[in-house]
Amino acid sequence: MSFMQPSPVKYACSCGILNPINKLFFCRHCPKLRCGFCVCHEIESHFCSNCLENIPSSEARHKKNCCANCFDCPCCQHTLSARAANVPVVRKTEEIKDGESKESPSGAATPPAPGSSKPSAIPTTKKIYYLSCLSCRWTTRDVGIPDQGVASGTWPDNECLYQARFNTLVDYYQSIVLQEKQEKMEFLRRKAPKQHKFPSLTDRTGLTVSLIRRQIGWHEKSIPKTKAISITPAEVTADVGGLPEDIFTEPLNLRNITTIAQRHGQPGDQPTAVSNLYPQRRSLWIKRSLRCRQCEHNLIKPEYHPTSIKYRIQLFASYHVPEVLMVRCEQPLQPGKSNAILLKFSNPTMYDMTIRILSALPPEEELITSEAFQKACKMNEEAVTSSPLVRAIGLTLSRQNSTREVKREVEDVSNAEIVPLESEFVLSQRDDSKEFDEDVQLPTEEPKFIVWRKGNKVLIRLQFTPAADLPANTDVVMGFFMQYTYVNTVSNASEKKEPTTNALHSRIFINAGATEKAD
């Protein structure tokens, strides 16, 4: 199997989508397989991939998710680098003072000539900086951007013609959102039930807070209203600028015309000429963490520093679930004829696993799994509403999960029937030191379906029969359930601190190949 080809072995996620094991995650708290659609994506930090500077979220939002110091080339989108150049600096000439005389070689003094001056004795140079692309040799001098005196100078941005209009629309809609939020808060304040008979001490004496404020001379307490921003509506016009006069007479040079990628890089003005391209600020990158939608525990959590590629939490499925690899089929695939496939199982954990291959999931196992899941959800909701203060107020603060797990059926259909194995087999724990041992393993009695065993890897032979009505050149897909024992070292209960062993199930689909024509 090539590294660039898709994997023929796919696992069914809890949402019914098939993915290879390297694209799945494993939640130790549920415990279930999760794919990219079963998790919540959260942004941990923003950083620049060029200067590796961490930027807070508020500052990144203010800078429009762009770095303030790094720029991209508008032609080839590579990173621009600052280049230095020496420029001679001309000093102001020093005028000869009035009354001074210039001596001649003979010793006679001669009066100074009118308008004469003495030039500077030492010429000086000054360093200036400009941006240059090391890939396509584009520079800021090509578009007339002035050089800067500092390497990290304030390079000018190409302002959009409609930037003022965009800013007005943003302010207008922000004021509308703020006004609606204030009205909603005022409505909730009026509808909220009173906790006691007398909310304040002044109500017992018959005096209200508003009456006391009037006697003191204070203004009535009210929510400040937002100032309405008036915007002018957009007007439709039929006036379109005409074409230049030399468009049909001058020859066309494609080197001076921008490409689609270059125009999309500057969506504000979308220049048509290469001479109007301006440097683009480099977009920020993010580090994101993944959280289980059901139990809201972190599955992936990276390090905060941009230079670190490690994870603080990494719950990949390849670290907890047995990996299944297809080796080969013993015979060519033909419809209705029995065949055998060689599968390689690997144990990635530090505990022994017991594997069973099932053609269908037992109904009692499915019932137990659904009941345990509903019980866990009910316990999470009751734990939040157990506070007596919350119950006295009458508010329902039961924690609502981000997404309820809905069991879906896998759309892919198996067109081959497998023969379940005679018995279960054991996968040894992973031990990296055994690969360097020279001790010869003693032969042990193994079941007939086990072909080879070494360390934490086992090669088995699985019998299957493709459907008899399959046409030629049709992929044979065989599906089965893999039951394996998993040692869970994470305990949600405080009284249970020892690891527990659970029997988990994973549905696996294997693309064995295409059928051949019958002889």
Side-chain angles (χ1 to χ4, degrees), residues 415-468:
N415 53 14
E417 183 179 357
I418 69 167
V419 179
L421 299 180
E422 303 171 359
S423 61
E424 58 189 19
F425 60 96
V426 178
L427 278 179
S428 302
Q429 61 181 358
R430 179 182 178 181
D431 190 1
D432 297 334
S433 61
K434 286 186 178 181
E435 298 181 1
F436 304 98
D437 293 343
E438 297 181 357
D439 298 338
V440 179
Q441 297 181 358
L442 298 177
T444 58
E445 185 178 356
E446 298 283 0
K448 295 181 180 179
F449 55 84
I450 294 182
V451 180
W452 168 81
R453 178 191 290 271
K454 181 180 179 182
N456 63 330
K457 301 178 179 63
V458 172
L459 185 67
I460 69 169
R461 179 186 290 107
L462 183 63
Q463 299 288 337
F464 71 99
T465 304

Side-chain angles (χ1 to χ4, degrees), residues 382-422:
E382 290 181 353
V384 182
T385 57
S386 59
S387 175
L389 180 60
V390 174
R391 293 180 179 178
I393 297 175
L395 298 178
T396 304
L397 298 180
S398 59
R399 180 175 139 201
Q400 298 292 335
N401 294 327
S402 56
T403 302
R404 288 292 186 184
E405 184 178 8
V406 180
K407 187 172 182 179
R408 309 179 200 174
E409 296 296 334
V410 181
E411 296 181 357
D412 293 48
V413 180
S414 174
N415 53 14
E417 183 179 357
I418 69 167
V419 179
L421 299 180
E422 303 171 359

Side-chain angles (χ1 to χ4, degrees), residues 279-500:
Q280 307 170 10
R281 295 192 179 273
R282 192 173 184 84
S283 300
L284 298 179
W285 288 19
I286 63 171
K287 280 193 172 185
R288 60 178 179 176
S289 62
L290 305 181
R291 190 183 296 273
C292 179
R293 287 182 180 268
Q294 191 58 43
C295 62
E296 298 185 359
H297 285 88
N298 277 321
L299 303 181
I300 300 295
K301 193 173 184 64
E303 292 285 349
Y304 182 76
H305 201 271
T307 58
S308 177
I309 60 174
K310 297 181 179 179
Y311 293 92
R312 286 185 283 179
I313 300 175
Q314 47 178 356
L315 297 180
F316 296 103
S318 57
Y319 294 164
H320 302 273
V321 182
E323 183 179 4
V324 182
L325 296 177
M326 187 190 80
V327 180
R328 60 182 174 84
C329 290
E330 292 186 347
Q331 301 175 4
L333 296 174
Q334 293 183 0
K337 289 188 178 182
S338 179
N339 203 337
I341 186 173
L342 298 180
L343 301 178
K344 182 179 177 182
F345 289 78
S346 302
N347 182 8
T349 63
M350 305 303 295
Y351 302 93
D352 294 343
M353 283 186 174
T354 303
I355 308 295
R356 290 179 59 190
I357 303 299
L358 306 174
S359 58
L361 186 64
E364 60 272 8
E365 297 287 343
E366 184 177 357
L367 182 61
I368 293 174
T369 305
S370 60
E371 289 180 355
F373 170 71
Q374 294 177 2
K375 184 178 179 181
C377 293
K378 187 176 180 181
M379 289 175 60
N380 290 338
E381 293 182 359
E382 290 181 353
V384 182
T385 57
S386 59
S387 175
L389 180 60
V390 174
R391 293 180 179 178
I393 297 175
L395 298 178
T396 304
L397 298 180
S398 59
R399 180 175 139 201
Q400 298 292 335
N401 294 327
S402 56
T403 302
R404 288 292 186 184
E405 184 178 8
V406 180
K407 187 172 182 179
R408 309 179 200 174
E409 296 296 334
V410 181
E411 296 181 357
D412 293 48
V413 180
S414 174
N415 53 14
E417 183 179 357
I418 69 167
V419 179
L421 299 180
E422 303 171 359
S423 61
E424 58 189 19
F425 60 96
V426 178
L427 278 179
S428 302
Q429 61 181 358
R430 179 182 178 181
D431 190 1
D432 297 334
S433 61
K434 286 186 178 181
E435 298 181 1
F436 304 98
D437 293 343
E438 297 181 357
D439 298 338
V440 179
Q441 297 181 358
L442 298 177
T444 58
E445 185 178 356
E446 298 283 0
K448 295 181 180 179
F449 55 84
I450 294 182
V451 180
W452 168 81
R453 178 191 290 271
K454 181 180 179 182
N456 63 330
K457 301 178 179 63
V458 172
L459 185 67
I460 69 169
R461 179 186 290 107
L462 183 63
Q463 299 288 337
F464 71 99
T465 304
D469 55 348
L470 288 179
N473 298 328
T474 304
D475 291 337
V476 177
V477 179
M478 49 183 298
F480 58 88
F481 285 89
M482 178 182 65
Q483 178 180 339
Y484 60 96
T485 56
Y486 174 72
V487 179
N488 192 358
T489 58
V490 178
S491 58
N492 296 328
S494 58
E495 62 274 4
K496 283 188 177 182
K497 296 184 179 180
E498 297 181 358
T500 58

Side-chain angles (χ1 to χ4, degrees), residues 2-257:
S2 176
F3 177 74
M4 301 301 294
Q5 293 179 355
S7 175
V9 181
K10 294 186 178 181
Y11 293 70
C13 179
S14 57
C15 64
I17 300 178
L18 299 183
N19 286 289
I21 192 172
N22 56 2
K23 294 185 178 180
L24 291 175
F25 311 96
F26 182 80
C27 182
R28 296 189 297 175
H29 303 268
C30 292
K32 290 183 179 179
L33 290 175
R34 305 294 183 190
C35 66
F37 297 99
C38 303
V39 294
C40 296
H41 299 255
E42 299 177 354
I43 297 177
E44 287 289 325
S45 60
H46 297 78
F47 69 96
C48 177
S49 60
N50 185 42
C51 61
L52 297 179
E53 179 184 359
N54 262 328
I55 300 176
S57 301
S58 58
E59 186 178 354
R61 193 182 305 109
H62 176 69
K63 294 181 179 180
K64 301 178 182 179
N65 292 329
C66 294
C67 183
N69 302 322
C70 303
F71 293 86
D72 287 341
C73 176
C75 291
C76 61
Q77 281 74 44
H78 282 76
T79 306
L80 295 177
S81 57
R83 309 284 297 194
N86 294 326
V87 176
V89 178
V90 179
R91 289 185 178 180
K92 292 183 178 180
T93 56
E94 298 179 1
E95 297 289 342
I96 298 179
K97 297 180 180 179
D98 298 338
E100 292 184 355
S101 61
K102 185 178 180 181
E103 296 182 357
S104 62
S106 60
T110 58
S116 63
S117 61
K118 183 173 69 174
S120 176
I122 303 176
T124 59
T125 59
K126 180 182 178 182
K127 275 191 175 182
I128 58 174
Y129 299 90
Y130 62 94
L131 297 179
S132 175
C133 179
L134 301 180
S135 178
C136 64
R137 304 299 179 183
W138 182 90
T139 62
T140 52
R141 296 177 175 178
D142 297 344
V143 292
I145 297 178
D147 300 337
Q148 303 292 328
V150 187
S152 59
T154 56
W155 302 97
D157 294 333
N158 187 19
E159 292 291 339
C160 179
L161 299 176
Y162 310 100
Q163 189 64 36
R165 176 69 175 177
F166 290 156
N167 295 338
T168 306
L169 292 175
V170 169
D171 296 341
Y172 172 72
Y173 287 112
Q174 285 181 352
S175 63
I176 292 178
V177 171
L178 183 60
Q179 183 178 0
E180 292 179 353
K181 184 178 180 180
Q182 290 179 354
E183 293 177 356
K184 184 178 180 180
M185 292 177 60
E186 179 67 18
F187 176 75
L188 294 177
R189 187 183 65 83
R190 294 177 182 177
K191 301 294 289 186
K194 296 182 180 180
Q195 302 180 10
H196 304 283
K197 184 178 180 181
F198 299 102
S200 60
L201 297 177
T202 56
D203 291 347
R204 298 183 180 181
T205 58
L207 298 176
T208 60
V209 178
S210 60
L211 182 59
I212 294 176
R213 296 180 68 90
R214 292 175 188 173
Q215 292 178 356
I216 297 177
W218 292 353
H219 297 285
E220 289 292 334
K221 186 177 180 181
S222 60
I223 300 177
K225 296 183 179 180
T226 58
K227 184 179 180 181
I229 300 176
S230 60
I231 58 173
T232 57
E235 298 180 359
V236 180
T237 177
D239 297 337
V240 181
L243 295 174
E245 297 179 357
D246 57 349
I247 188 173
F248 298 107
T249 57
E250 296 293 332
L252 183 62
N253 189 1
L254 295 179
R255 295 183 178 181
N256 299 331
I257 300 177

